[in-house]
Amino acid sequence: MPKSAPYWIQRFICRTKKYSCILSALFLSNCLPYLYHVSKEQSSILLNRREINSVLQDTSVDERTKKKLALIQLAREYAVNKLKLNPDGGFEYYTKLDREEIGWNVSACQALAFESYTWWFPFAGTVPYKGFFSKDLALKEEESLKRLGLDTRVRAFGGYSTLGWFSDPVLSPQLDWEDTKLVGLVFHEMAHATSYLPGDSNLNESYASYVEEKGLERFYKEREGKDSPSLKEILNEKKEKETSIAILKKYAYELDKIYKSQSTDESKLQKKKETIQSFKEEVIRLNIVPAKKIETFRKKEWNNEDFLGVLRYHSGNQTFESLFTQANEDFGIFHSKVKELFSLSAEERKKLLNLP
């Protein structure tokens, strides 16, 4: 989970089919600098990974690292056996990075419409974010998008999936996370390798978030019992998150009405500013933001991409809950039912996710 954004999970999807694709990118670096940048770093991550079992037996590795990796092994085993997630989803290896953050996503949205700016990548399809392993490159990309008049945001991401083409390793910055967040990461990213519809990030991310949430509750209830302190913490956070998302959706729909009205652009921009200010005031009034972070929250210039960033990961919960019930809470059947949604039109899926 991102340390700087409590209301959503930052995620980055980058898919490459063969090692030859990575090597080819090196030769095409003059023509395709972005592909070169991503492929070069992804190659380094894969080439420097170590099997977790090997790391656990290494006497030079500190006990804290071993404890975290052992937990990841348990989470992966649970994900495969109990949550029926694709075993090719990774978390069998470990790669130590030389930086505190894994990478940064750049996202953008129309200023007067909830319409994401998108990029297209092989296999992943159309996605509303572009990932970088360099913050400077991410900020440079953001500046180019701002010049187009778009609402933009750069966010550090905590994990990503190659969707089963490679066995994605655990990355060293992730070991600083709380145990529950780390287990959730395993479930979320392995869900991407299990059920993924190219071109529909809202469905993909919301589905993975649902699997993460359900998986966490079951994992800790089975491991620690119904009175599990970890489970209580998870359920408290879930309740707080639901309150936050409900308020955010409320104002997102208000903004959507403004954008679809017949008002002038100048009037829409003014109403947008007033609505976002009202949103901030309600969040502060309801004590959703910790007291020590209120001033930072108040000063932040919220825009459309901030609202879409939340909705991208937390939509359609009622639809997923209904499918899970229809599957008799069997995860294998549930994943199949989610895949049945792939045959629907983009507009039909959008309605099921209850998006503006």
Side-chain angles (χ1 to χ4, degrees):
M1 306 289 173
K3 297 185 286 291
S4 58
Y7 302 115
W8 59 82
I9 308 170
Q10 315 303 332
R11 294 291 187 267
F12 164 66
I13 302 296
C14 172
R15 186 171 187 170
T16 309
K17 189 173 183 181
K18 300 288 185 182
Y19 277 103
S20 59
C21 294
I22 294 179
L23 296 175
S24 296
L26 301 179
F27 294 106
L28 295 172
S29 59
N30 289 331
C31 301
L32 302 170
Y34 174 71
L35 182 58
Y36 169 73
H37 161 70
V38 173
S39 299
K40 180 175 179 290
E41 183 59 30
Q42 181 65 24
S43 295
S44 176
I45 287 173
L46 293 174
L47 292 172
N48 289 292
R49 67 186 183 179
R50 299 175 59 191
E51 289 189 3
I52 290 179
N53 281 332
S54 174
V55 177
L56 293 177
Q57 295 171 12
D58 189 338
T59 57
S60 67
V61 176
D62 65 275
E63 289 304 313
R64 176 183 171 279
T65 295
K66 289 184 178 181
K67 183 179 178 181
K68 292 286 188 179
L69 292 177
L71 175 63
I72 287 170
Q73 280 192 323
L74 288 174
R76 173 187 154 75
E77 181 181 0
Y78 190 87
V80 174
N81 295 329
K82 297 296 185 71
L83 306 184
K84 307 302 180 184
L85 296 177
N86 185 355
D88 293 330
F91 298 99
E92 297 176 284
Y93 298 86
Y94 170 66
T95 299
K96 187 173 182 179
L97 301 183
D98 59 358
R99 55 184 182 274
E100 294 183 1
E101 298 288 359
I102 296 171
W104 294 263
N105 270 342
V106 181
S107 301
C109 176
Q110 297 297 324
L112 290 175
F114 281 124
E115 296 176 9
S116 295
Y117 183 91
T118 59
W119 292 264
W120 183 89
F121 298 107
F123 312 112
T126 302
V127 292
Y129 33 64
K130 187 174 182 180
F132 294 85
F133 293 107
S134 162
K135 189 173 184 179
D136 288 342
L137 290 178
L139 292 173
K140 184 177 180 181
E141 178 78 6
E142 182 189 32
E143 283 304 314
S144 68
L145 295 169
K146 283 183 176 180
R147 288 195 290 271
L148 297 177
L150 300 170
D151 283 359
T152 65
R153 188 65 64 206
V154 173
R155 307 180 180 101
F157 61 78
Y160 66 96
S161 170
T162 56
L163 307 176
W165 287 107
F166 300 114
S167 183
D168 299 313
V170 182
L171 302 173
S172 52
Q174 295 166 340
L175 300 188
D176 291 330
W177 296 7
E178 297 174 6
D179 287 355
T180 54
K181 306 298 183 187
L182 198 53
V183 173
L185 169 75
V186 174
F187 297 162
H188 187 105
E189 300 304 343
M190 290 186 72
H192 282 314
T194 303
S195 181
Y196 183 89
L197 177 61
D200 195 336
S201 294
N202 292 321
L203 175 64
N204 296 329
E205 296 297 353
S206 292
Y207 153 74
S209 293
Y210 181 84
V211 172
E212 173 187 346
E213 179 182 288
K214 281 291 183 184
L216 272 172
E217 291 178 19
R218 285 198 172 188
F219 179 81
Y220 280 101
K221 187 174 183 178
E222 289 184 23
R223 279 179 55 82
E224 300 178 359
K226 63 180 182 179
D227 295 323
S228 158
S230 299
L231 180 59
K232 289 181 180 179
E233 178 185 342
I234 289 167
L235 294 177
N236 285 336
E237 289 184 359
K238 177 182 178 181
K239 186 176 181 180
E240 292 174 359
K241 181 177 67 177
E242 288 174 345
T243 300
S244 301
I245 293 171
I247 294 172
L248 184 138
K249 283 187 175 181
K250 167 188 169 183
Y251 284 93
Y253 277 103
E254 287 188 21
L255 288 168
D256 190 51
K257 289 179 182 178
I258 292 170
Y259 302 150
K260 291 177 178 177
S261 72
Q262 299 301 311
S263 301
T264 64
D265 285 355
E266 182 179 0
S267 176
K268 289 179 181 179
L269 286 171
Q270 180 58 35
K271 290 179 180 178
K272 173 185 178 181
K273 182 178 179 181
E274 294 170 356
T275 301
I276 290 178
Q277 182 58 37
S278 296
F279 161 73
K280 287 183 176 182
E281 291 172 358
E282 182 164 355
V283 167
I284 293 172
R285 179 173 58 80
L286 294 175
N287 298 316
I288 293 175
V289 177
K292 61 182 179 180
K293 295 184 178 180
I294 287 179
E295 197 57 33
T296 300
F297 176 78
R298 183 179 280 121
K299 291 180 179 178
K300 177 181 175 179
E301 295 184 5
W302 275 68
N303 60 40
N304 286 350
E305 175 51 35
D306 292 310
F307 285 87
L308 283 185
V310 179
L311 298 177
R312 192 172 295 136
Y313 288 86
H314 301 290
S315 294
N317 198 68
Q318 289 184 338
T319 294
F320 293 124
E321 191 67 37
S322 175
L323 292 177
F324 195 59
T325 299
Q326 292 173 34
N328 294 318
E329 299 191 356
D330 181 300
F331 275 96
I333 299 173
F334 170 70
H335 302 316
S336 296
K337 286 189 172 293
V338 170
K339 290 178 181 177
E340 291 176 4
L341 302 181
F342 294 2
S343 63
L344 302 177
S345 68
E347 191 58 35
E348 287 173 323
R349 292 195 301 273
K350 184 177 179 180
K351 288 181 180 178
L352 284 176
L353 294 176
N354 194 27
L355 292 166

